[in-house]
Amino acid sequence: MKLSINMAMTLDGKVVRPDGRWYGLTSSEDKTQMDVYRSQSDAVLIGKNSILNDNPIVKIRAVPNALNPRPVILVRKGTLPPDKHVFEESDHIPLVICTKSNLKEIKTSLENKAEIFALDSDDIDPKKVTGILKRKGYKNVLLEGGPKLNFSFLEADLVDRIYLTVVPFIIGKTGLAGIADRNAELPGFDKQNWSLKQHFAKGNEIFLVYEKT
């Protein structure tokens, strides 16, 4: 199974606006390219905060006749409102992966909206998540979570590819996250080899594809 991260980043390395959300940072070209990446995936991983903050629509519009990936939502604590786009407008019933501590809460609010799988722990273990997806037969998974979720999968050495869009903004505010964010460095970050496999420009944005070697 191949796992890819997809993120947009400003010229000064920020992936969110000063209010912590991403809206308005990317153009129609980036949204089109995101659909291309989704069309090459059979599942898309999304974190709870991305659903709450951005309410994304996981549906391909720019690639004709493409099969939409299945939404896989990771919820470590609490639950999600059932009226979010991912539950109302997806072609596939979403898969919600939660923990044993919030399983009851998830079932109460989402039992008729999603397939629910509870891990036997109180945290979301990226290796257990990828194990579930492998057993379900998914070959190409796109991670569209936030910086903390990206960090956890990078820390577990599970990421094979990074799609990075550089957008023409400079925010300048300190404390805003980059593509991977936690109060620690990734172990052996300077020993990892990421090779630039593709680069191209559309409008004022640059699209980069790195693969781990």
Side-chain angles (χ1 to χ4, degrees):
M1 190 187 82
K2 293 279 189 181
L3 179 69
S4 305
I5 285 175
N6 181 33
M7 293 291 282
M9 180 183 76
T10 65
L11 293 173
D12 56 340
K14 313 297 171 53
V15 300
V16 293
R17 299 173 68 93
D19 63 1
R21 300 178 66 187
W22 65 268
Y23 65 92
L25 286 181
T26 59
S27 67
S28 59
E29 285 87 357
D30 179 69
K31 292 178 176 63
T32 297
Q33 194 60 37
M34 180 173 66
D35 273 359
V36 172
Y37 300 147
R38 285 178 172 180
S39 72
Q40 298 166 353
S41 308
D42 41 24
V44 55
L45 270 175
I46 313 168
K48 174 186 173 182
N49 288 338
S50 294
I51 301 293
L52 290 175
N53 294 334
D54 304 317
N55 198 17
I57 298 174
V58 185
K59 205 164 189 176
I60 297 170
R61 298 172 175 176
V63 181
N65 303 315
L67 296 175
N68 289 299
R70 185 184 190 186
V72 179
I73 308 165
L74 307 181
V75 184
R76 184 171 63 90
K77 290 183 178 179
T79 187
L80 286 166
D83 60 349
K84 293 298 184 180
H85 290 316
V86 71
F87 300 113
E88 299 290 337
E89 302 182 28
S90 298
D91 286 352
H92 310 273
I93 183 169
L95 171 62
V96 172
I97 299 177
C98 62
T99 67
K100 63 181 182 181
S101 58
N102 66 336
L103 174 60
K104 184 177 180 180
E105 193 174 358
I106 291 284
K107 280 187 172 182
T108 299
S109 59
L110 300 176
E111 192 162 28
N112 297 320
K113 292 286 188 175
E115 177 187 358
I116 301 167
F117 189 100
L119 301 175
D120 58 351
S121 62
D122 292 321
D123 204 353
I124 298 291
D125 184 335
K127 291 185 177 179
K128 290 182 179 179
V129 170
T130 55
I132 293 167
L133 299 180
K134 286 177 182 177
R135 288 194 296 274
K136 287 185 171 292
Y138 296 118
K139 303 296 184 185
N140 291 287
V141 177
L142 189 62
L143 176 54
E144 292 185 0
K148 288 182 171 58
L149 197 59
N150 289 346
F151 187 101
S152 67
F153 279 83
L154 286 163
E155 184 181 38
D157 196 26
L158 297 170
V159 179
D160 302 288
R161 184 186 297 115
I162 297 174
Y163 298 118
L164 185 62
T165 306
V166 181
V167 299
F169 299 102
I170 298 174
I171 297 176
K173 182 180 178 181
T174 60
L176 296 179
I179 69 167
D181 187 64
R182 192 175 292 171
N183 191 26
E185 74 276 6
L186 285 166
F189 71 92
D190 54 349
K191 303 295 190 298
Q192 298 173 354
N193 292 316
W194 291 93
S195 295
L196 182 62
K197 296 296 183 181
Q198 192 178 8
H199 59 94
F200 54 94
K202 287 183 181 180
N204 291 318
E205 294 168 335
I206 298 173
F207 298 84
L208 307 171
V209 182
Y210 280 90
E211 292 187 1
K212 196 164 188 181
T213 55

